[in-house]
Amino acid sequence: MKYQNAVDIKALQSSFQIIGLLGKPRHDLTLQMHKNLFQWLIEKGYQVLVERPIGEQLGLNEDYLASVEDIGQKAQLGIVIGGDGNMLGRARILAKYDIALIGINRGNLGFLTDIDPKNAYAQLQACLEQGEFFVEERFILEASVERDGQIIASGNAVNEAVIHPAKIAHMIDFHVYINDKFAFSQRSDGLIISTPTGSTAYSLSAGGPILTPQLNAIALVPMFPHTLSSRPLVIDGDSKISIRFAEYNTAQLEVGCDSQIALEFSPDDIVHIQKSQYKLRLLHLKNYNYYKVLSSKLGWLRNLV
C-alpha cells in the first residue's frame, strides 16, 4: 500500500483544480446526487467536467461535458458515484492517466466506493479542503490473446480476468504456464486470475483467498474443477501467466475482464495475463481501514458480551 507523505498530499490537494464527475445512474436518486454534487463543487470554485451521458441527462452546458478519456487527461481527481461496477468501468480507462479516484457508494457492497452518501459533503470537504486523505496505488492486470505469434486482442482488468467457454456448463481442458514454466493442467468450467482488489469479488465466490490490497500477488482460482485436488494458487504478482488449450475444447472461448469486457478466442490461441504497466490510484479518507471494510461488508461483526 503506497501512502502519500505530507508534502505529496499538500501538493496533490492544491492540484485539485479540475474535478471529474463520473458514473452511470441507475435511478433518480443517484442522478440527483450528481446534480447536487456538481452544484456544490461549482460553488466551491472548482472547474467540473461531467461524464457526457450524465451531463446530458442533467441538461448541462456543453462546456461541462466530457468523455471519460477527456476527464482522465484534464482532471486531477475523479469522483465516481455508484457501485463497484461503475468504479471498475471507469478505473480500467482512467488507470492510464495520472488521476486519483474516489467513490461515493450508491451500489450494494461498495468495496471500492468508500464514501457514505449520507456524509458525502462532509467527507469530500475533509479531502478537498483539509487534506484528510491518502492515495493508495493498486496494480491491475492485462489480458492478451496471441494467435500465430501476434497479439490480436487485449484488455485490462481491475478485479479479475476469467477464462471460460462462451456457453455456460461447458468444461474446458487447459495447461497453465507461469513464467514460461509448466505449472498444472486442469479440466474445469474455467479459471479466475484475480488481483488483490478482486479477491473479494468473483474469486471469493469461487472459494478463493482474500488478499490484502498491498500484497504483490495474484490468485489463480479454479471454477468447478473436475477433481478434488484442484485448489486456489497464489503466485508472485510479477509473474506472467500463459494458458494453452486442448484442441477438442469448444470453439468459442472467452477471457472476461471484470465481467464487463469479453475477448473471444479459439483453442489454438494462447492467453497471456500479467501485471499491467498502469496502476489504479484510489483516494481514501485518513480513517480508512481495510479490515473494517471487510468486517462490515462480509458480516464479520459481532457483539461481545
Side-chain angles (χ1 to χ4, degrees), residues 18 22 77 87 91 100 105 150 160 174 209 240 249 261 292 295-297:
I18 304 175
L22 307 106
L77 175 66
M87 177 65 85
N105 185 24
Q150 302 291 324
E160 73 278 307
F174 53 90
K240 178 182 178 181
N249 280 308
I261 294 176
K292 183 177 180 181
S295 296
S296 173
K297 305 300 182 182

PDB file of all heavy atoms in Angstrom, residues 18 22 77 87 91 100 105 150 160 174 209 240 249 261 292 295-297:
ATOM      1  N   ILE A  18      -9.392  20.830 -11.335  1.00  0.00           N
ATOM      2  CA  ILE A  18     -10.411  20.283 -12.240  1.00  0.00           C
ATOM      3  C   ILE A  18     -10.832  18.921 -11.698  1.00  0.00           C
ATOM      4  O   ILE A  18      -9.994  18.042 -11.478  1.00  0.00           O
ATOM      5  CB  ILE A  18      -9.875  20.139 -13.671  1.00  0.00           C
ATOM      6  CG1 ILE A  18      -9.342  21.483 -14.181  1.00  0.00           C
ATOM      7  CG2 ILE A  18     -10.973  19.607 -14.592  1.00  0.00           C
ATOM      8  CD1 ILE A  18      -8.696  21.404 -15.545  1.00  0.00           C
ATOM      9  N   LEU A  22     -18.250  11.169 -12.521  1.00  0.00           N
ATOM     10  CA  LEU A  22     -18.467  10.014 -13.382  1.00  0.00           C
ATOM     11  C   LEU A  22     -19.461   9.049 -12.763  1.00  0.00           C
ATOM     12  O   LEU A  22     -19.768   9.122 -11.577  1.00  0.00           O
ATOM     13  CB  LEU A  22     -17.140   9.276 -13.630  1.00  0.00           C
ATOM     14  CG  LEU A  22     -15.978  10.097 -14.155  1.00  0.00           C
ATOM     15  CD1 LEU A  22     -14.953  10.331 -13.051  1.00  0.00           C
ATOM     16  CD2 LEU A  22     -15.307   9.406 -15.331  1.00  0.00           C
ATOM     17  N   LEU A  77      -8.733  14.851 -10.216  1.00  0.00           N
ATOM     18  CA  LEU A  77      -9.489  13.973  -9.329  1.00  0.00           C
ATOM     19  C   LEU A  77     -10.771  13.558 -10.022  1.00  0.00           C
ATOM     20  O   LEU A  77     -11.441  14.384 -10.657  1.00  0.00           O
ATOM     21  CB  LEU A  77      -9.829  14.692  -8.016  1.00  0.00           C
ATOM     22  CG  LEU A  77     -10.726  13.938  -7.030  1.00  0.00           C
ATOM     23  CD1 LEU A  77     -10.015  12.704  -6.479  1.00  0.00           C
ATOM     24  CD2 LEU A  77     -11.167  14.849  -5.881  1.00  0.00           C
ATOM     25  N   MET A  87     -17.255   1.967 -10.675  1.00  0.00           N
ATOM     26  CA  MET A  87     -15.849   2.271 -10.429  1.00  0.00           C
ATOM     27  C   MET A  87     -14.949   1.424 -11.324  1.00  0.00           C
ATOM     28  O   MET A  87     -13.978   1.930 -11.901  1.00  0.00           O
ATOM     29  CB  MET A  87     -15.510   2.049  -8.958  1.00  0.00           C
ATOM     30  CG  MET A  87     -14.048   2.281  -8.625  1.00  0.00           C
ATOM     31  SD  MET A  87     -13.494   3.988  -8.847  1.00  0.00           S
ATOM     32  CE  MET A  87     -13.988   4.690  -7.258  1.00  0.00           C
ATOM     33  N   ALA A  91     -12.326   2.925 -13.854  1.00  0.00           N
ATOM     34  CA  ALA A  91     -10.934   2.713 -13.433  1.00  0.00           C
ATOM     35  C   ALA A  91     -10.110   2.069 -14.534  1.00  0.00           C
ATOM     36  O   ALA A  91      -8.923   2.389 -14.687  1.00  0.00           O
ATOM     37  CB  ALA A  91     -10.905   1.861 -12.173  1.00  0.00           C
ATOM     38  N   ALA A 100      -6.355  10.602  -9.531  1.00  0.00           N
ATOM     39  CA  ALA A 100      -6.836   9.873  -8.357  1.00  0.00           C
ATOM     40  C   ALA A 100      -8.351   9.709  -8.449  1.00  0.00           C
ATOM     41  O   ALA A 100      -9.046  10.575  -8.988  1.00  0.00           O
ATOM     42  CB  ALA A 100      -6.466  10.625  -7.081  1.00  0.00           C
ATOM     43  N   ASN A 105     -20.592   5.583  -2.623  1.00  0.00           N
ATOM     44  CA  ASN A 105     -21.282   4.312  -2.789  1.00  0.00           C
ATOM     45  C   ASN A 105     -22.784   4.480  -2.984  1.00  0.00           C
ATOM     46  O   ASN A 105     -23.505   4.949  -2.099  1.00  0.00           O
ATOM     47  CB  ASN A 105     -21.029   3.412  -1.571  1.00  0.00           C
ATOM     48  CG  ASN A 105     -21.621   2.029  -1.759  1.00  0.00           C
ATOM     49  OD1 ASN A 105     -21.811   1.581  -2.879  1.00  0.00           O
ATOM     50  ND2 ASN A 105     -21.908   1.358  -0.663  1.00  0.00           N
ATOM     51  N   GLN A 150       1.091 -13.309 -32.952  1.00  0.00           N
ATOM     52  CA  GLN A 150       0.651 -11.923 -32.915  1.00  0.00           C
ATOM     53  C   GLN A 150      -0.431 -11.728 -31.850  1.00  0.00           C
ATOM     54  O   GLN A 150      -1.283 -12.598 -31.664  1.00  0.00           O
ATOM     55  CB  GLN A 150       0.097 -11.482 -34.282  1.00  0.00           C
ATOM     56  CG  GLN A 150       1.073 -11.617 -35.432  1.00  0.00           C
ATOM     57  CD  GLN A 150       2.224 -10.635 -35.325  1.00  0.00           C
ATOM     58  OE1 GLN A 150       2.055  -9.499 -34.874  1.00  0.00           O
ATOM     59  NE2 GLN A 150       3.419 -11.072 -35.738  1.00  0.00           N
ATOM     60  N   GLU A 160     -10.428  -9.014 -11.976  1.00  0.00           N
ATOM     61  CA  GLU A 160     -10.008 -10.333 -12.402  1.00  0.00           C
ATOM     62  C   GLU A 160     -10.158 -10.513 -13.908  1.00  0.00           C
ATOM     63  O   GLU A 160     -10.966  -9.848 -14.558  1.00  0.00           O
ATOM     64  CB  GLU A 160     -10.804 -11.431 -11.691  1.00  0.00           C
ATOM     65  CG  GLU A 160     -12.239 -11.598 -12.139  1.00  0.00           C
ATOM     66  CD  GLU A 160     -13.214 -10.630 -11.508  1.00  0.00           C
ATOM     67  OE1 GLU A 160     -13.255 -10.525 -10.275  1.00  0.00           O
ATOM     68  OE2 GLU A 160     -13.964  -9.966 -12.277  1.00  0.00           O
ATOM     69  N   PHE A 174      -7.141 -27.276 -20.161  1.00  0.00           N
ATOM     70  CA  PHE A 174      -6.086 -26.314 -20.460  1.00  0.00           C
ATOM     71  C   PHE A 174      -4.839 -26.579 -19.623  1.00  0.00           C
ATOM     72  O   PHE A 174      -4.888 -27.252 -18.586  1.00  0.00           O
ATOM     73  CB  PHE A 174      -6.582 -24.875 -20.239  1.00  0.00           C
ATOM     74  CG  PHE A 174      -7.193 -24.624 -18.887  1.00  0.00           C
ATOM     75  CD1 PHE A 174      -6.426 -24.195 -17.815  1.00  0.00           C
ATOM     76  CD2 PHE A 174      -8.567 -24.803 -18.677  1.00  0.00           C
ATOM     77  CE1 PHE A 174      -6.989 -23.952 -16.570  1.00  0.00           C
ATOM     78  CE2 PHE A 174      -9.142 -24.561 -17.438  1.00  0.00           C
ATOM     79  CZ  PHE A 174      -8.355 -24.140 -16.378  1.00  0.00           C
ATOM     80  N   PRO A 209      -8.900 -17.095  -1.960  1.00  0.00           N
ATOM     81  CA  PRO A 209      -8.452 -16.419  -0.733  1.00  0.00           C
ATOM     82  C   PRO A 209      -8.646 -14.912  -0.814  1.00  0.00           C
ATOM     83  O   PRO A 209      -8.660 -14.336  -1.900  1.00  0.00           O
ATOM     84  CB  PRO A 209      -6.963 -16.767  -0.683  1.00  0.00           C
ATOM     85  CG  PRO A 209      -6.575 -16.849  -2.135  1.00  0.00           C
ATOM     86  CD  PRO A 209      -7.768 -17.453  -2.832  1.00  0.00           C
ATOM     87  N   LYS A 240       4.202 -13.906 -15.142  1.00  0.00           N
ATOM     88  CA  LYS A 240       3.463 -13.937 -16.408  1.00  0.00           C
ATOM     89  C   LYS A 240       2.766 -15.289 -16.506  1.00  0.00           C
ATOM     90  O   LYS A 240       3.406 -16.336 -16.396  1.00  0.00           O
ATOM     91  CB  LYS A 240       4.399 -13.746 -17.597  1.00  0.00           C
ATOM     92  CG  LYS A 240       3.686 -13.823 -18.945  1.00  0.00           C
ATOM     93  CD  LYS A 240       4.665 -13.683 -20.103  1.00  0.00           C
ATOM     94  CE  LYS A 240       3.948 -13.819 -21.442  1.00  0.00           C
ATOM     95  NZ  LYS A 240       4.890 -13.714 -22.590  1.00  0.00           N
ATOM     96  N   ASN A 249     -11.475 -28.640 -27.226  1.00  0.00           N
ATOM     97  CA  ASN A 249     -12.357 -27.736 -26.492  1.00  0.00           C
ATOM     98  C   ASN A 249     -13.376 -27.115 -27.440  1.00  0.00           C
ATOM     99  O   ASN A 249     -13.177 -27.070 -28.658  1.00  0.00           O
ATOM    100  CB  ASN A 249     -11.540 -26.618 -25.840  1.00  0.00           C
ATOM    101  CG  ASN A 249     -10.865 -27.067 -24.548  1.00  0.00           C
ATOM    102  OD1 ASN A 249     -11.513 -27.606 -23.671  1.00  0.00           O
ATOM    103  ND2 ASN A 249      -9.560 -26.846 -24.455  1.00  0.00           N
ATOM    104  N   ILE A 261     -15.880  -6.775 -20.060  1.00  0.00           N
ATOM    105  CA  ILE A 261     -15.278  -6.848 -21.386  1.00  0.00           C
ATOM    106  C   ILE A 261     -15.003  -8.313 -21.684  1.00  0.00           C
ATOM    107  O   ILE A 261     -14.501  -9.046 -20.832  1.00  0.00           O
ATOM    108  CB  ILE A 261     -13.963  -6.047 -21.458  1.00  0.00           C
ATOM    109  CG1 ILE A 261     -14.244  -4.555 -21.277  1.00  0.00           C
ATOM    110  CG2 ILE A 261     -13.248  -6.286 -22.781  1.00  0.00           C
ATOM    111  CD1 ILE A 261     -12.990  -3.706 -21.250  1.00  0.00           C
ATOM    112  N   LYS A 292     -11.777  -3.044   8.562  1.00  0.00           N
ATOM    113  CA  LYS A 292     -13.120  -2.617   8.953  1.00  0.00           C
ATOM    114  C   LYS A 292     -14.083  -2.765   7.783  1.00  0.00           C
ATOM    115  O   LYS A 292     -15.246  -3.163   7.956  1.00  0.00           O
ATOM    116  CB  LYS A 292     -13.086  -1.162   9.432  1.00  0.00           C
ATOM    117  CG  LYS A 292     -14.422  -0.649   9.925  1.00  0.00           C
ATOM    118  CD  LYS A 292     -14.313   0.771  10.452  1.00  0.00           C
ATOM    119  CE  LYS A 292     -15.662   1.288  10.943  1.00  0.00           C
ATOM    120  NZ  LYS A 292     -15.554   2.694  11.433  1.00  0.00           N
ATOM    121  N   SER A 295     -14.909  -6.456   7.542  1.00  0.00           N
ATOM    122  CA  SER A 295     -15.822  -6.858   8.612  1.00  0.00           C
ATOM    123  C   SER A 295     -17.244  -6.406   8.328  1.00  0.00           C
ATOM    124  O   SER A 295     -18.208  -7.148   8.543  1.00  0.00           O
ATOM    125  CB  SER A 295     -15.344  -6.277   9.952  1.00  0.00           C
ATOM    126  OG  SER A 295     -14.097  -6.802  10.310  1.00  0.00           O
ATOM    127  N   SER A 296     -17.364  -5.186   7.828  1.00  0.00           N
ATOM    128  CA  SER A 296     -18.688  -4.630   7.559  1.00  0.00           C
ATOM    129  C   SER A 296     -19.354  -5.295   6.365  1.00  0.00           C
ATOM    130  O   SER A 296     -20.520  -5.708   6.436  1.00  0.00           O
ATOM    131  CB  SER A 296     -18.561  -3.120   7.323  1.00  0.00           C
ATOM    132  OG  SER A 296     -19.796  -2.576   6.913  1.00  0.00           O
ATOM    133  N   LYS A 297     -18.620  -5.418   5.264  1.00  0.00           N
ATOM    134  CA  LYS A 297     -19.216  -5.934   4.028  1.00  0.00           C
ATOM    135  C   LYS A 297     -19.478  -7.434   4.080  1.00  0.00           C
ATOM    136  O   LYS A 297     -20.432  -7.922   3.475  1.00  0.00           O
ATOM    137  CB  LYS A 297     -18.303  -5.616   2.841  1.00  0.00           C
ATOM    138  CG  LYS A 297     -17.934  -4.151   2.673  1.00  0.00           C
ATOM    139  CD  LYS A 297     -19.157  -3.263   2.467  1.00  0.00           C
ATOM    140  CE  LYS A 297     -18.734  -1.813   2.253  1.00  0.00           C
ATOM    141  NZ  LYS A 297     -19.899  -0.912   2.097  1.00  0.00           N
TER     142      LYS A 297
END
